[in-house]
Amino acid sequence: MEGHPFRDAQVTKRKLPSTKIETGTSRIKHFLAGGLFTLVWNAIVLLIFISALSSGETFFAVFSGLFVLVGVGLVVYSGYLFLAIFNPRIELHVSEGLPALGDTLDIRWKIVGSASRIRALKIELRATESATYRRGTDTTTDTNVFERIRIAHTDVPREIAAGTGSVAIPAGAVPSFVAPHNHIGWAIHVEGDIPWWPDLQDWFALYVVANKRHRAKWEVA
């Protein structure tokens, strides 16, 4: 396993990972949103397909049949989202709720549920830039991951079930930023490989400040 945070450090000088952060992923909401879209799509497409068949318009029936196939794919995907609801969950604690650029962030994780189902676990810190702009009458959002730092990658069962890791946040990176058309977001991404089942995929948002002085202002506020 990579990235043990306390191996060569003095424990008295490190803040233990005690701040719990919540996942930004809602499996039930994803399933409900996907299921609703699938239901509406298939209802409309089936009405059009049946109407085309009954009217004897062969070309239109074949053309609309392609959309029926898309609907079948959506049903399969909705089933995938439903199964993902029953995946094990991960609890994540960090050493600092408002990490600053240049900090070393220690984390501690624990799998809640059947950790033995997970064959491999990967944890990364990612920074993503999103920019929204208009092209004519259309609104477009471009997303780019500009930092991707591995925290842990293991296939050892006991390290999957519970473990610790650390990550150094680059001092020259860009801190979290939110504006009407631009967004810089930092998050810890967790991926668990589960054979013959939807994989575990969760992310935990972090607000990274520019320096410790800015962190003090946030904590006072």
Side-chain angles (χ1 to χ4, degrees), residues 163-220:
T164 58
S166 66
V167 60
I169 303 175
V174 183
S176 298
F177 175 76
V178 179
H181 302 290
N182 299 88
H183 177 262
I184 301 292
W186 290 79
I188 296 174
H189 289 253
V190 179
E191 298 178 3
D193 180 18
I194 304 178
W196 306 106
W197 196 265
D199 290 337
L200 169 66
Q201 293 185 342
D202 282 326
W203 60 274
F204 300 79
L206 283 175
Y207 196 92
V208 177
V209 297
N211 51 52
K212 295 180 179 180
R213 178 168 52 86
H214 288 170
R215 177 165 64 212
K217 290 182 179 179
W218 275 91
E219 291 173 342
V220 170

Side-chain angles (χ1 to χ4, degrees), residues 38-75:
T38 299
L39 182 64
V40 172
W41 175 279
N42 284 326
I44 295 174
V45 169
L46 284 176
L47 285 175
I48 296 174
F49 182 66
I50 293 172
S51 175
L53 286 178
S54 61
S55 64
E57 299 180 11
T58 305
F59 174 80
F60 189 57
V62 172
F63 180 75
S64 59
L66 298 176
F67 293 92
V68 173
L69 294 177
V70 174
V72 173
L74 289 173
V75 171

